[in-house]
Amino acid sequence: PEGAVLLGPEHEILWFNHRAAEWLGLRRKRDFGIRIENLVRHPDFIEYLHSDSPGEGVMVQDTSDINRWFSFHVVRTGMAERQLLMVRDVSREQQLQSMRRDFVANASHELRSPLTVITGYLDALADDQKLDPTWSAPILEMRRQSERMSTIIRDLLELSKLESGERPLDEEPIDIPGMLALLRKETLAL
């Protein structure tokens, strides 16, 4: 089910299976001896191919079909001058991941509005002096539960922002020696 391409020392194509030919548009007579980075021209793929440690592999979007994603993984062979490039179609996984991200973002936004209304009414009821005292405990519990739900929704919104890369990381230098000195001073004071 996976594509396989045997590469030589200069990443030239020595052999490939039918699946790799189909996915990468390779042809037997034309592409033997051609460097793979001349045919798969994605910067992330090329960087991965030239890295010293193949590690986890790399996922790239097909340039001819934006709905198609491939995962590439280099497997070192026993012979140092040859590598096996494994190719998998991970389009379905990418679609599911995208649907999950969209669902989390949409669900948290859709739940936020009605919960705000409910919380507002509960706050008004809790402040109402004319309310029967027997309702105080249930209203307090409802307010506690709505606050818990608000926290969950805030966490979902934060997760959605982090996954989308929408929020840049706050990078600022930290004075580690100063922080450690302060912690030491506070610990000694105890």
Side-chain angles (χ1 to χ4, degrees):
E2 295 183 348
V5 181
L6 186 63
L7 302 175
E10 299 296 319
H11 302 131
E12 70 274 10
I13 299 171
L14 303 176
W15 172 89
F16 52 85
N17 68 359
H18 176 71
R19 184 70 66 185
E22 178 186 335
W23 286 343
L24 303 177
L26 303 176
R27 287 197 240 145
R28 297 233 180 257
K29 292 182 181 177
R30 180 191 71 184
D31 294 329
F32 280 124
I34 303 291
R35 292 173 58 137
I36 189 72
E37 57 261 59
N38 291 340
L39 302 172
V40 180
R41 296 180 179 189
H42 195 282
D44 293 341
F45 171 74
I46 294 170
E47 181 181 332
Y48 168 72
L49 192 62
H50 291 280
S51 69
D52 292 332
S53 57
E56 299 269 327
V58 66
M59 280 196 314
V60 298
Q61 194 172 23
D62 187 354
T63 54
S64 61
D65 181 359
I66 62 168
N67 294 319
R68 193 153 208 190
W69 288 79
F70 292 113
S71 169
F72 293 94
H73 185 83
V74 171
V75 178
R76 306 279 187 224
T77 63
M79 294 182 281
E81 68 274 358
R82 292 189 179 178
Q83 302 175 50
L84 185 63
L85 178 66
M86 301 301 295
V87 185
R88 280 185 0 156
D89 184 346
V90 291
S91 304
R92 181 78 177 133
E93 290 92 339
Q94 284 296 106
Q95 289 171 346
L96 291 173
Q97 190 76 339
S98 177
M99 287 171 53
R100 186 189 66 77
R101 277 193 305 268
D102 292 345
F103 174 77
V104 167
N106 291 336
S108 53
H109 280 291
E110 291 299 321
L111 290 171
R112 191 178 202 177
S113 298
L115 187 59
T116 302
V117 172
I118 291 169
T119 303
Y121 280 120
L122 288 172
D123 290 343
L125 284 172
D127 294 339
D128 189 357
Q129 300 298 325
K130 299 175 191 169
L131 188 67
D132 185 351
T134 58
W135 284 98
S136 295
I139 289 175
L140 181 64
E141 180 60 25
M142 286 187 273
R143 288 176 74 190
R144 206 171 318 151
Q145 292 300 324
S146 69
E147 182 56 39
R148 186 173 145 263
M149 287 179 68
S150 292
T151 302
I152 292 169
I153 290 170
R154 275 195 302 275
D155 290 347
L156 284 172
L157 286 169
E158 188 70 21
L159 176 66
S160 176
K161 286 179 187 175
L162 288 172
E163 284 185 336
S164 70
E166 185 178 304
R167 196 179 100 188
L169 297 176
D170 297 332
E171 292 184 19
E172 59 182 65
I174 297 174
D175 180 14
I176 299 291
M179 183 177 70
L180 290 174
L182 181 63
L183 285 172
R184 182 179 183 272
K185 183 179 175 184
E186 289 176 1
T187 305
L188 290 174
L190 292 175

